[in-house]
Amino acid sequence: MNTNSNTYTIIYASVMVVIVAFLLAFVSSALKSKQDKNIELDTKKQILSALNVRDIKDADAEYNKIIKADMLLNQDGSLSENAQGFTTAFEKEAKENNRLHVFVADVNGEKKYVVPVYGAGLWGAIWGYVALNADKNTIYGTYFSHASETPGLGAEIATDHFQSEFKDKKVMNNDKVALSVVKNGHVTDAAHEVDGISGGTITSNGVDAMLKACLESYNSFLTKNEEE
Amino acid sequence: MAELFSKKNKEVFLAPLGLNNPVTVQVLGICSALAVTSKLEPAIVMGLSVTIITAFSNLVISLIRKSVPNRIRIIVQLVVVAALVTIVSEILKAYAYDVSVQLSVYVGLIITNCILMGRLEAFAMQNGPWESFLDGVGNGLGYAKILVIVAFFRELLGSGTLLGFNILNYEWIKNLGYLNNGLMLMPPMALIICACIIWYQRAHHKELQEN
């Protein structure tokens, strides 16, 4: 057979592509549930990281112990139980279904709230979780991560050093989100501002915009005084 | 059986581990060697992934080498490699999620690893399936060997740990004036360690030196 003829080449390429496509589709669907489980576990780990619970072995058990409820925000700022099970796509939930999640946690007997935040850095997505004290204003801890920021510059937002800067900062000022990330060394309002990363300006600005946009959507919850 | 492990086949398997190492002698696949070697664990996983992919892509290409139309052979090779890489990456995401996060894009970038295309073009297209498989395993392990050596030094001297276990981070060692060298975690140090390995190898094997 002439393996150099045009017909042969085209048929060969087509058959090969179809076989490979089936193979990959099969592998992908066979491993899907296992992968989703991993992503879910990873999300739980990230939520716990925001509560300064890090380096844990069994994230599932720890999560069930610490996180008391996965709540959704109502229009008037009150919370109601999320009945649809754990999700990892917080951005999609917020934008498409208008479902804003708040996790209620209990750390050593103190009530904490964790809200997911998401935005864009320089090269790709950035996301994180902000844990607040029971006053819904003071930050207890944060966790940030990124898809593809520059190592050593923007990627520094994923370090403990950057995340710990947020501790004890206040989110709100006059019923508006005042928490910001400013140029390194230009903090004027120590209660609300955090030093950005030098050399990672666009990523720092991304974190700033992400915090403002996402926390602002929780405004009704954050400004509501709870009578319990 | 004796034929399967003939002298020639042994040579095919062992040469890439020693005097024909893909990283230190042929200087291929350097970029991933720099990127994934700041810790030992991802380096081992990366080494194994590349070994599996070179071995099986060599095997597949060798099996179909006589039917591959000459004009699209590079495309066929790429499709085989890409399919295998995707499968490995999916498996890592399912069974070794943490490592797959650390390796991030570099698993996908195995597709462009020069060792793979080099072996397919230079070896699997001309040789039988078994020899090609051995050649793939050999080259993969040759690559893995260098990655592990580099990662060993970088993690030990940079973080004071090995595979995450504490080796050097004790008070009394700090009191002696020893500090972890953060520079070891930066990519340039991987290049320098790689260069040291090449230096050592060439100093010991005169036949590698040019006149």
Side-chain angles (χ1 to χ4, degrees):
Chain A
M1 191 159 45
N2 176 16
T3 58
N4 280 326
S5 79
N6 284 346
T7 341
Y8 180 84
T9 305
I10 291 169
I11 294 173
Y12 193 94
S14 318
V15 171
M16 174 182 73
V17 168
V18 170
I19 293 174
V20 170
F22 269 105
L23 186 71
L24 291 184
F26 172 76
V27 171
S28 164
S29 56
L31 296 173
K32 184 93 175 87
S33 65
K34 190 103 185 145
Q35 292 173 354
D36 288 348
K37 190 97 199 102
N38 281 328
I39 293 172
E40 196 178 308
L41 206 61
D42 193 50
T43 308
K44 288 180 175 173
K45 251 188 215 165
Q46 296 181 11
I47 295 174
L48 292 176
S49 294
L51 291 161
N52 303 323
V53 180
R54 294 182 186 210
D55 294 323
I56 38 171
K57 279 276 169 296
D58 188 355
D60 238 344
E62 203 73 17
Y63 178 87
N64 291 336
K65 205 171 84 195
I66 292 174
I67 306 293
K68 295 299 169 204
D70 175 0
M71 309 289 263
L72 290 173
L73 179 66
N74 298 326
Q75 287 263 305
D76 63 352
S78 63
L79 298 176
S80 52
E81 189 85 31
N82 167 32
Q84 284 184 21
F86 189 74
T87 176
T88 56
F90 298 110
E91 185 168 10
K92 196 172 157 217
E93 284 267 287
K95 288 187 178 152
E96 288 175 19
N97 308 328
N98 205 15
R99 286 153 55 89
L100 296 167
H101 287 260
V102 178
F103 295 91
V104 182
D106 183 340
V107 181
N108 304 327
E110 287 174 49
K111 195 174 193 181
K112 312 281 179 202
Y113 298 101
V114 183
V115 295
V117 293
Y118 32 80
L122 172 59
W123 304 113
I126 53 175
W127 65 89
Y129 299 88
V130 177
L132 302 169
N133 283 339
D135 65 359
K136 301 192 215 168
N137 193 18
T138 314
I139 292 182
Y140 177 64
T142 56
Y143 173 84
F144 298 112
S145 191
H146 61 94
S148 46
E149 297 310 300
T150 321
L153 302 173
E156 295 291 300
I157 62 165
T159 58
D160 287 352
H161 170 72
F162 179 70
Q163 289 163 19
S164 61
E165 281 188 62
F166 284 86
K167 194 166 165 51
D168 297 330
K169 302 279 176 194
K170 307 279 189 234
V171 175
M172 307 298 279
N173 191 13
N174 295 330
D175 288 353
K176 280 192 95 73
V177 175
L179 182 68
S180 5
V181 180
V182 297
K183 202 170 163 186
N184 199 354
H186 286 65
V187 171
T188 49
D189 174 7
H192 298 101
E193 291 179 352
V194 171
D195 271 327
I197 290 154
S198 22
T201 309
I202 298 178
T203 312
S204 302
N205 291 346
V207 174
D208 182 59
M210 163 172 91
L211 288 170
K212 289 221 168 73
C214 293
L215 292 174
E216 195 59 52
S217 63
Y218 285 90
N219 194 315
S220 60
F221 166 70
L222 297 174
T223 51
K224 186 181 164 77
N225 281 320
E226 220 160 313
E227 307 96 68
E228 287 189 272
Chain B
M1 210 46 196
E3 212 173 277
L4 283 183
F5 294 99
S6 65
K7 198 154 177 266
K8 182 176 163 276
N9 284 352
K10 261 190 205 147
E11 174 64 25
V12 163
F13 177 72
L14 290 175
L17 287 167
L19 290 186
N20 200 13
N21 189 287
V23 183
T24 58
V25 179
Q26 299 173 26
V27 200
L28 297 173
I30 289 283
C31 73
S32 54
L34 306 188
V36 300
T37 51
S38 63
K39 288 207 183 78
L40 201 46
E41 192 189 3
I44 292 171
V45 174
M46 183 74 178
L48 286 179
S49 306
V50 170
T51 307
I52 292 167
I53 292 165
T54 38
F56 284 95
S57 60
N58 259 6
L59 178 68
V60 172
I61 288 295
S62 169
L63 284 172
I64 62 173
R65 71 185 189 279
K66 286 184 182 130
S67 73
V68 175
N70 196 36
R71 277 180 294 173
I72 59 164
R73 64 176 200 286
I74 300 282
I75 300 172
V76 174
Q77 291 165 8
L78 265 180
V79 169
V80 170
V81 173
L84 282 166
V85 168
T86 312
I87 292 172
V88 167
S89 142
E90 294 276 312
I91 290 174
L92 283 181
K93 270 188 204 144
Y95 295 99
Y97 187 80
D98 291 345
V99 179
S100 84
V101 170
Q102 282 177 43
L103 291 175
S104 64
V105 295
Y106 295 103
V107 175
L109 284 179
I110 295 176
I111 297 172
T112 59
N113 194 318
C114 325
I115 297 171
L116 279 149
M117 293 304 286
R119 292 331 291 169
L120 293 176
E121 216 15 42
F123 199 91
M125 287 301 282
Q126 283 94 39
N127 290 282
W130 174 244
E131 289 90 343
S132 300
F133 184 75
L134 280 182
D135 178 76
V137 175
N139 274 284
L141 290 178
Y143 170 81
K145 182 177 115 180
I146 303 301
L147 248 64
V148 168
I149 296 173
V150 174
F152 174 86
F153 286 112
R154 287 183 71 190
E155 187 174 352
L156 183 68
L157 302 177
S159 315
T161 58
L162 279 179
L163 284 171
F165 292 107
N166 186 3
I167 306 285
L168 293 173
N169 296 322
Y170 292 106
E171 266 321 300
W172 65 271
I173 294 181
K174 261 193 202 123
N175 292 340
L176 290 177
Y178 174 84
L179 280 177
N180 287 326
N181 185 353
L183 192 63
M184 293 302 286
L185 298 175
M186 301 286 158
M189 287 312 288
L191 202 58
I192 291 172
I193 296 173
C194 244
C196 290
I197 299 172
I198 296 175
W199 177 18
Y200 172 84
Q201 201 179 18
R202 297 185 127 209
H204 276 257
H205 299 281
K206 293 268 180 276
E207 60 270 38
L208 291 175
Q209 295 170 8
E210 294 94 359
N211 291 322

